[in-house]
Every structure is written in C-alpha cells, then in structure tokens.
Amino acid sequence: MSLSISPDERLVAGEEREGGPPTSTLAVGEYEREASASRFARLSRATFVGGIVLTGVLFAAGAWQRRWIADDGLIVLRTVRNLLAGNGPVFNAGERVETNTSAAWTYVVWFFSWLTQARLEYVVLAVALVLSVLAVVFAMLGSARLWGGASAGQLLLPAGALVYIAVPPARDYASSGLENCLVIFWLGVLWYLLMRWSQAGKPGLPSYFGLVFWAGLSWLVRPEMTILGGLALLLVFCAPMPDSLRYSWLPARVRPLVIRALLVAIGGAVPVGYQIWRMGYYGLPYPNTAVAKEASGAKWAQGFTYLWDLVGPYFLWLPMLVLAMIAIYLARRSGRKHAGVTRDERGGTGRLGRLQRRLRTPGAVVTLMLFAGLLLVLFNIRVGGDFMHGRMLLPQLFILLLPVAVLPIRLPGGARSDSGDERTGRARWARWSFAVPLVAWVATAGWALIVSGTVANTSGSQLSATGIVDERIYYVLNSGHDHPILSEDYLDYPRMRAMVQAIENTPDGGLLINSPSFTMWYVAPPPLPIPEGGAGHTVYFLNLGMTSMNVPLSVRVIDQEGLAYPLAAHTDRLVDGRIGHDKNLYPDWVLVDMGMVDRHPWMPWFMDEKWVIQARTALGCPATQDLLASYRAPLTVQRFKSNIIQSLDFAKYRIERVPKYEIQRCKLVDPIPPPVPN
C-alpha cells in the first residue's frame, strides 16, 4: 500500500507553493512577521542614512552661508606661506616662533596647499568645511553604535548633532580658517574608534594601534585636548588585552607587557617626537600662543561670564537637559547589555578583574567622554574663556553631545511571551519608549529651528563690556565685506591700506607703529648708512593675520600681545585686561630691538627718549638676551640641545613691561639718574 499526500494536504501541513508565500496559518504569520521586520529594518537604515545626509547638508549649507576667514585664521596662512617658501614653520623668516596653537592644523593646511597649489584662502576654506561636516558624520556613526545601530526595532534620528549645528558659532567656526574644524573632526573620529573598540569581540592589532595612534595626536591637535587623548590612552592601556593580541611565541608572563609597550610606543611616537623637536627648534615646551595668552593663569569670573555668553542667550541648557534625561531613561529601561559581545579576553580575578573587564564597554567610553568634556569646560572657565563668542567652548559642547548625536526611537511591537501580564508590560514599555523619545526629539528639533536664526551677541562692530565679541560680524562690519575670505578683503579694514601705502613710500625701510589714536602710521627710520635695497620693514600691530597676509614675507610683522613676538609674550599679564588681549608691550622696546633711530624728531612724537634709553639698558638683561637667542640665533646642534635644556625656564620667564621696573628686576644700572630733590 503506497502512501500519498494530496496537494491540499500539503498546504495544510505548511508547505509553500513554489515561488510564493506560505499558505498555512502558522507559516503565514511567521512570514508576515519576517516581512514586516525586513521592511522596518530597511526603513530604519534609510532613516539613519537620511538623517546623516540631511544633517551634513544643513551644516554645510549653514557654514557656507556664513563663510569667512578670521584674522587669526590668516595667521596660520602666513606660517604656511613661509613653509612653502622654504623658511620653515615660522611666522617671520629668521625667527623661530610658533604662532599657531594647533601644530597639526598648520601641517594639514600646508599639505593640501602643496598638493593642490591653489590659493591658500580657498584651500583652508575647503578643508575646514569638509572636516567640519565629516566630524558630525563620525559623531552620528559612533552614537549609532552606542544605541545598537539601525535595526528593525528602532529609528535613529539626529538629535545632539542638530543641537550642535544649530548654535550659530558652530557654523561660524566651521569655515573660519581656525583649527576648530580639525579639533571636532579628531573628536568625532576618536569617539567612533572608541565605540568600535569597546564593542568588538576580537579586535585586531590594526584596530588597537589605529586607536592609540589617533588618541596620541591630541597634543598636536590642541594642547588641552591631551586631557581627553591621555584618558583614552589610559583606558585602552588598562583594559584587558584580548587573546587574539597575545603572541603565542612569547612567554606567557611578558605577552601583555609587550602589547602594552607597543601601544605606548605607537601612541606616543608622534607627539613625543614632535615635542622634542619643538623644544629644540622653538625653545619652548608648548606653542608661543600659550605664553602670550597665559594658559596657566586663572580668571574664573571671566570664565563663567564666557560660559554664560554661550549657554544663556541660546537657552542651550534646555536641549542638553532634555537629551540627557532621555538618554538616561532609555539606558535604564532598556536594560541593554553592551558587554554581551563574545570576547576572547581575560582580566584579573575578583573585584579588580571585574572592574578591568568593564573598561572595554560602551558605558566606560561614554563615561570617559563626558568626564573629559566637563574637565575641558572647567579648564576653559579657569583660563577666562576667550574673546571670541562661543569659539573655545565648541569642542566641549561637541563632546558632551556625542552620546546623543542620534536618538533611538524604539518602534512599538508586540511581545512573543505567552504570559499576558508580561506581554502587557512589554507593550506598555514599547509605547512609552516610542512616545517619550519622539516628543523629546520633536522638542529638540524645534529648539534647533528657532535658535539657528538667533543673534545672541549684539556687540556688532564694537566691543562689548565683557570683551567678548561676535568675531565674524565684527570683521564683516569693519571690512565692509559679507564674506571676508581673501587677504585683500581685509584691506578695507581701517588702517590696512594706509599701512601698505606707508611701506611703499619708505623704500629705505623702517618700523611702522600705529598712532595712539589708531588713525595713521608713524615710520621710525633705520640708522645710516642704509644698505642697498633698504633695511627692511617691521610692522608692529595688533591684527597679525590681515597685516602679515597683505605684505611680502620679507616684511617682519610682530604684535604687542606677543603671539609672534616673544619679547611681548613674556611680559606679565595686565590686571583686568581684555581676555586674550591682556598683554601690551610698549613700542619703546621694539624701537631699540629693531635697531631704529631712537631720537626725536625721527622717532614718533609720542615716544619718550628716556624710556627708549631705559629700554635699551633693560634689553641687555642676560636672561632676556638668552631668550632672544633661543629663537633668533642660528640653529646649530648646540643651540638645539641648549633650547631643549632651557625650554622650561624660558616658558616661565617674565619681564616687566615698564623699562625702569625691568632694570630694577634684573638688577641693572639705570642710565637715567633719579631727580635731585630740591
């Protein structure tokens, strides 16, 4: 007797028709659930990718609409010009002074300028815009990893990323020629690499080495970013080493030590190598800008003023509070176990071992980023902030928003449990996990829409009482250009055309000093005999960028604050001076230092011959002469070694800006006798 099954019986048993869906009740239900999950997964991926594209486009469009290059951005280009001309990474040929805080940014601009041979202003504008947009992209990719990625169960919508790009200073400094773009790009990539490292089951050596190398660049990106880079290196170093990184041919006891030694070597190779070179070449352990700005000083009250200047007008605390609360809510209610990834690592035993294993988790990375971000906020408050509205707090804002760069919106779905109570509880949680984040996201997006058109700092072309100014608007109004980008755009800034004209009218050379009323230039002539071709020009003025980019490299440009003039940088900070401008070296020093005629009627009328004579004596202080030689003397092997040895002492050295007091400090003999009492 043969057994046979009819076609109808096959359908009842759940077999599928060839080329079609299942037809039984159970099979149809399973098929529909799988199809629905597939559709939701495609929707989630499309939403996530669309959110990244939309955020990037909005940021690029907003930055382009406010495109400009700051005067400080042009300072970087002067150094790049000298690099391309073969004069080295200097601001003035023959003087080894590091005027750019970010060494990495200088060389990035130099590389793309050398590669493209395009005009420097266009190169820096393009590079800045690209890096700024990529920074937001990496921030969102890392945040997506934190929340489990785009899947059938949730949508990932841009949230913290929208907050960042909505703040007007973020769009201002996306194209300013300053290093903000590089800083947030480095932060975004570091965040992504840390999240990938924390979730990888078996990370390979390239992943480890790439992460520590990138973290080690912090010192070159901006010195204060070493707070974050150093903590990231410490986290990776202390976390347990996976078995996949253990060399079997090494003795078991030394395998972890070898890997960690390699991590230290790779993470420290570039910053340590550059640091040795910096100390020998420039004679300082950090950029000269840190000396001029007194980065080790404290101005707490001004720092809190600067913080509120950014947070208060935009009500920035509101979206950050909402997103923080939602993130905590989702993390606690979801019960997501990030450590569920299969790992091949072994930590120690006991409580210490458990703590060590927790270091390579997304939660540890988030804690690290938030802790470092708050430390950087505290550091910025301590030094007094900055004079540019919002600029120096943008990296900190970017860091604090990284975990919520995207926000997960959990899609509601039924539970598969047979328990009615459990299924009801899960359904209720699903509804809340969808509704609450969605409301928070709508509120955040609405805030971003309103704030994006806000003008918080209304000082315009004048300085506010706090000394903080909207830098872009200030130069737009004072130059008369909606988008001051090219160096010649700044010729319309007051006194710039007069400076160029004064140089053209004095072929013998001289020292250009702006008058006390800032309306005209005085030229102190060089002494006779004038060499063939002239003795060269030196411009002594506050705005280094526009000044230096509108004159040939043969013209020395220095400033009273000391960014490009170490003699001024090593004066003491003025009490209650404007933040970032609280040093001011009298021109008497410069007249003597540059070797110009120092007698009336040839020198400017407002200068005192007695002060000039005293400045000549004060300039002869042996310690001051050592400082000047550190960056002016020919760079020999002996000079390089001497600079390394003395760099810390040079960093701490300060002089009195009043020549008479400097003579007393250095225990010199005052050439001007005291007045005889009657």
Side-chain angles (χ1 to χ4, degrees):
M1 179 176 167
S2 63
L3 295 176
S4 63
I5 302 177
S6 66
D8 292 339
E9 289 172 324
R10 291 192 186 98
L11 293 178
V12 171
E15 295 184 9
E16 300 180 9
R17 298 178 185 270
E18 184 177 354
T23 55
S24 71
T25 302
L26 294 177
V28 167
E30 184 66 25
Y31 176 83
E32 289 179 349
R33 280 192 293 271
E34 291 179 358
S36 176
S38 178
R39 287 194 299 271
F40 274 121
R42 290 195 298 271
L43 173 64
S44 180
R45 288 192 294 270
T47 302
F48 177 56
V49 173
I52 290 179
V53 173
L54 178 61
T55 305
V57 169
L58 288 175
F59 193 25
W64 180 257
Q65 186 182 29
R66 306 165 80 95
R67 63 192 181 278
W68 70 306
I69 295 180
D71 177 69
D72 283 24
L74 294 176
I75 295 177
V76 179
L77 299 189
R78 167 79 170 200
T79 303
V80 173
R81 284 174 66 195
N82 274 299
L83 272 169
L84 295 173
N87 297 326
V90 299
F91 191 78
N92 292 306
E95 296 183 346
R96 298 181 300 276
V97 181
E98 190 175 15
T99 58
N100 305 329
T101 305
S102 173
W105 179 234
T106 299
Y107 289 102
V108 166
V109 176
W110 166 80
F111 173 76
F112 284 103
S113 300
W114 170 81
L115 185 68
T116 62
Q117 296 296 306
R119 179 157 180 167
L120 292 179
E121 292 94 332
Y122 295 141
V123 171
V124 75
L125 182 67
V127 173
L129 287 171
V130 170
L131 289 182
S132 295
V133 174
L134 287 178
V136 175
V137 171
F138 276 103
M140 297 176 72
L141 291 174
S143 182
R145 277 182 166 270
L146 172 65
W147 296 109
S151 64
Q154 65 181 5
L155 299 177
L156 295 174
L157 301 180
L162 289 180
V163 172
Y164 182 80
I165 70 172
V167 178
R171 284 168 284 146
D172 286 349
Y173 292 101
S175 67
S176 64
L178 294 164
E179 71 276 1
N180 284 73
C181 58
L182 180 65
V183 174
I184 64 170
F185 174 73
W186 178 81
L187 290 170
V189 174
L190 179 66
W191 162 248
Y192 175 77
L193 293 177
L194 282 170
M195 288 305 306
R196 190 177 67 173
W197 164 79
S198 70
Q199 295 176 330
K202 296 182 178 181
L205 282 176
S207 174
Y208 260 82
F209 291 162
L211 171 57
V212 297
F213 175 80
W214 191 258
L217 294 178
S218 56
W219 177 244
L220 305 184
V221 172
R222 256 195 88 88
E224 66 266 30
M225 287 299 123
T226 307
I227 293 175
L228 175 56
L231 288 174
L233 289 172
L234 186 63
L235 178 70
V236 176
F237 184 85
C238 294
M241 293 289 110
D243 288 337
S244 59
L245 298 183
R246 301 173 186 268
Y247 295 115
S248 58
W249 51 270
L250 289 171
R253 292 183 177 180
V254 301
R255 291 174 193 170
L257 298 178
V258 171
I259 296 296
R260 287 183 166 86
L262 285 174
L263 295 179
V264 171
I266 293 174
V270 173
V272 172
Y274 183 83
Q275 184 62 17
I276 294 172
W277 179 84
R278 167 187 275 159
M279 294 167 70
Y281 188 80
Y282 295 113
L284 284 174
Y286 35 71
N288 185 63
T289 53
V291 180
K293 303 286 186 178
E294 293 290 0
S296 61
K299 284 194 172 183
W300 289 98
Q302 179 64 26
F304 281 108
T305 299
Y306 186 71
L307 176 65
W308 187 249
D309 185 71
L310 175 67
V311 174
Y314 303 115
F315 296 94
L316 191 54
W317 54 270
L318 182 59
M320 296 189 71
L321 179 62
V322 169
L323 291 177
M325 293 175 62
I326 290 300
I328 295 172
Y329 171 79
L330 290 176
R332 294 186 63 180
R333 291 297 302 270
S334 66
R336 182 179 300 278
K337 302 295 183 182
H338 295 290
V341 179
T342 302
R343 302 187 187 279
D344 64 340
E345 62 193 19
R346 292 192 295 269
T349 58
R351 182 178 300 177
L352 182 61
R354 291 193 298 271
L355 176 62
Q356 188 182 21
R357 284 188 290 271
R358 287 181 181 178
L359 294 179
R360 195 161 77 87
T361 61
V365 173
V366 171
T367 302
L368 169 79
M369 299 299 290
L370 295 180
F371 178 68
L374 292 175
L375 281 181
L376 286 167
V377 171
L378 189 65
F379 171 79
N380 186 264
I381 293 174
R382 182 182 183 275
V383 299
D386 191 48
F387 63 93
M388 301 185 193
H389 169 62
R391 179 208 165 190
M392 295 305 295
L393 286 172
L394 290 176
Q396 291 88 323
L397 175 63
F398 191 81
I399 293 172
L400 297 177
L401 290 171
L402 283 173
V404 288
V406 296
L407 195 65
I409 309 295
R410 308 285 169 80
L411 298 173
R416 296 185 181 182
S417 174
D418 294 331
S419 172
D421 292 340
E422 184 178 354
R423 188 167 183 175
T424 301
R426 291 185 179 181
R428 186 182 300 112
W429 150 238
R431 288 194 298 271
W432 280 106
S433 65
F434 173 76
V436 174
L438 184 61
V439 171
W441 179 81
V442 171
T444 301
W447 173 91
L449 186 63
I450 295 172
V451 165
S452 61
T454 301
V455 178
N457 191 303
T458 58
S459 58
S461 62
Q462 304 297 321
L463 299 180
S464 65
T466 62
I468 304 170
V469 69
D470 186 326
E471 191 83 347
R472 186 185 70 87
I473 292 298
Y474 178 85
Y475 282 116
V476 164
L477 295 176
N478 280 290
S479 70
H481 293 268
D482 290 337
H483 305 288
I485 295 174
L486 302 178
S487 55
E488 53 261 35
D489 291 339
Y490 282 95
L491 286 175
D492 293 321
Y493 186 84
R495 300 173 291 280
M496 285 298 102
R497 291 192 187 277
M499 176 200 68
V500 174
Q501 189 65 42
I503 293 175
E504 292 177 353
N505 293 339
T506 53
D508 289 342
L511 172 64
L512 277 71
I513 303 175
N514 208 241
S515 68
S517 60
F518 297 103
T519 57
M520 61 180 296
W521 293 90
Y522 290 93
V523 181
L528 297 176
I530 304 296
E532 185 177 355
H537 289 90
T538 297
V539 180
Y540 189 55
F541 192 55
L542 175 68
N543 299 96
L544 284 175
M546 64 180 74
T547 305
S548 63
M549 285 297 289
N550 280 295
V551 297
L553 292 178
S554 58
V555 176
R556 180 191 285 112
V557 181
I558 55 178
D559 63 311
Q560 55 266 50
E561 292 175 23
L563 295 179
Y565 193 32
L567 193 63
H570 287 267
T571 58
D572 286 321
R573 209 173 190 178
L574 296 175
V575 179
D576 297 328
R578 184 191 175 202
I579 189 68
H581 299 75
D582 45 10
K583 291 191 176 182
N584 186 11
L585 184 67
Y586 293 116
D588 310 80
W589 292 85
V590 188
L591 194 70
V592 174
D593 190 29
M594 297 298 117
M596 299 299 163
V597 177
D598 55 3
R599 291 292 183 270
H600 290 305
W602 297 277
M603 72 177 185
W605 63 267
F606 52 84
M607 298 178 66
D608 191 321
E609 287 186 4
K610 292 182 180 180
W611 275 53
V612 172
I613 294 172
Q614 289 174 327
R616 177 178 291 104
T617 301
L619 201 58
C621 182
T624 303
Q625 287 299 308
D626 287 344
L627 173 67
L628 297 177
S630 70
Y631 70 94
R632 289 180 179 173
L635 187 64
T636 62
V637 174
Q638 184 58 39
R639 169 55 56 188
F640 191 88
K641 292 179 180 178
S642 177
N643 278 356
I644 292 177
I645 295 172
Q646 294 181 276
S647 60
L648 294 177
D649 291 331
F650 288 146
K652 295 182 293 184
Y653 183 64
R654 295 294 182 272
I655 66 174
E656 294 285 348
R657 58 196 288 263
V658 178
K660 179 179 179 179
Y661 299 153
E662 174 60 12
I663 290 173
Q664 296 173 1
R665 186 198 67 82
C666 196
K667 297 181 174 59
L668 302 173
V669 178
D670 193 340
I672 307 298
V676 178
N678 294 330

